[in-house]
Amino acid sequence: VILLVIVIAGCSKRDASISSGTRDITFTTADGYTIAATLYTVDRPKPAGLVLVPMLGTTRDRWRSFARPAQAEGYLSLAIDMRGHGDSRVRNGENTSYKSFATDDWLGVVHDIAAAKQALLDAGADPDNVAVAGASIGANLALRYATTDPAIQAVVLLSPGKDYHGVTVEDAMAKLDRRPVLLMDSIGDSYSAETSNALKSIAKGHCELHEYPGAAHGTDLLDTNENATGQILLWLSAIIGPEAAKANR
């Protein structure tokens, strides 16, 4: 049976008002990177929040096909360019590139996610209803970040890998305790499929896995499988969605 799967900000430039649409913002990480992001705003107070982390070599725009439907469902999403990517190449005034990153540089992306979460809260997100989603190495980094922040309510992992550039996940899953996780992969993407199944076996809490035909990887899953976005939003709705948030108040 196929199961439906389911530190720290510095200065920020942003407008805290909430209106439907998008807004490009920047903020600074604890270790000096200027991170560029797109905020998908909504017309409701204290909406559930999502931090969206892209794949290696891609930018925040790759999450647009997910963030727009999420916005329509009432989620306040923030998609980032990871350090060394897109418009997030400057650290303390000097240009950088992910192409020269070592493992420690990749692990530093957890600072990007931490700063993004704070920016999301500053934009009005409900601090008790925030999830993080990542694709490929972004999935690995999203999971590792969640182990450092117990306020993260759920994690969505698209095509994780046991070890991407030294960023491992099996050890992180073991540290996540009982928080819910949604795993998605393509059957033909064998490394990610193997990893997803391994993570499901390690998970201590609610963990759902959904596998697709083909070999689409990371955010490409959202473009090649028309049901994927809806399945993520359905899974999230019971955990941090508008009705879940209302019930928790």
Side-chain angles (χ1 to χ4, degrees), residues 57-69:
T58 70
T59 64
R60 61 193 190 269
D61 291 343
R62 293 295 290 276
W63 276 103
R64 184 184 294 119
S65 64
F66 171 82
R68 284 297 195 185

Side-chain angles (χ1 to χ4, degrees), residues 39-244:
L39 185 69
Y40 293 79
T41 57
V42 293
D43 287 319
R44 66 173 66 199
K46 295 187 72 175
L50 299 171
V51 177
L52 308 175
V53 189
M55 299 190 286
L56 183 153
T58 70
T59 64
R60 61 193 190 269
D61 291 343
R62 293 295 290 276
W63 276 103
R64 184 184 294 119
S65 64
F66 171 82
R68 284 297 195 185
Q71 183 182 43
E73 292 293 321
Y75 294 94
L76 179 65
S77 299
L78 186 64
I80 67 171
D81 285 351
M82 293 187 291
R83 58 185 57 201
H85 291 72
D87 297 322
S88 299
R89 295 175 180 268
V90 177
R91 182 184 190 186
N92 296 326
E94 297 189 1
N95 287 326
T96 66
S97 172
Y98 73 89
K99 293 180 181 179
S100 61
F101 276 8
T103 297
D104 286 346
D105 298 303
W106 284 112
L107 291 171
V109 174
V110 297
H111 295 301
D112 306 355
I113 302 172
K117 182 204 168 187
Q118 185 58 53
L120 194 66
L121 298 183
D122 291 348
D126 183 350
D128 295 324
N129 285 283
V130 176
V132 59
S136 193
I137 195 170
N140 289 28
L141 290 159
L143 179 60
R144 295 193 73 88
Y145 171 72
T147 67
T148 72
D149 184 352
I152 294 297
Q153 297 298 303
V155 186
V156 177
L157 307 179
L158 306 182
S159 307
K162 290 184 179 180
D163 185 335
Y164 289 140
H165 295 277
V167 183
T168 56
V169 286
E170 290 178 297
D171 53 333
M173 182 65 91
K175 295 176 183 176
L176 194 63
D177 296 323
R178 301 193 61 79
R179 282 176 286 173
V181 177
L182 173 63
L183 296 158
M184 286 187 165
D185 65 63
S186 296
I187 296 171
D189 184 5
S190 58
Y191 186 58
S192 291
E194 178 186 349
T195 299
S196 294
N197 281 276
L199 291 177
K200 182 168 173 54
S201 70
I202 294 169
K204 299 177 182 177
H206 177 64
C207 181
E208 295 189 11
L209 169 63
H210 192 82
E211 296 187 302
Y212 295 90
H217 184 76
T219 44
D220 292 343
L221 277 172
L222 305 177
D223 299 326
T224 59
N225 296 277
E226 61 181 13
N227 295 324
T229 290
Q231 288 167 333
I232 295 172
L233 294 174
L234 178 63
W235 183 83
L236 285 171
S237 67
I239 303 167
I240 66 163
E243 294 307 313

Side-chain angles (χ1 to χ4, degrees), residues 6-48:
I6 299 204
V7 191
I8 304 184
C11 300
S12 176
K13 303 174 186 175
R14 49 187 168 264
D15 175 358
S17 65
I18 298 179
S19 60
S20 291
T22 62
R23 186 164 65 252
D24 290 331
I25 65 174
T26 61
F27 42 86
T28 304
T29 68
D31 59 347
Y33 269 94
T34 299
I35 301 299
T38 298
L39 185 69
Y40 293 79
T41 57
V42 293
D43 287 319
R44 66 173 66 199
K46 295 187 72 175

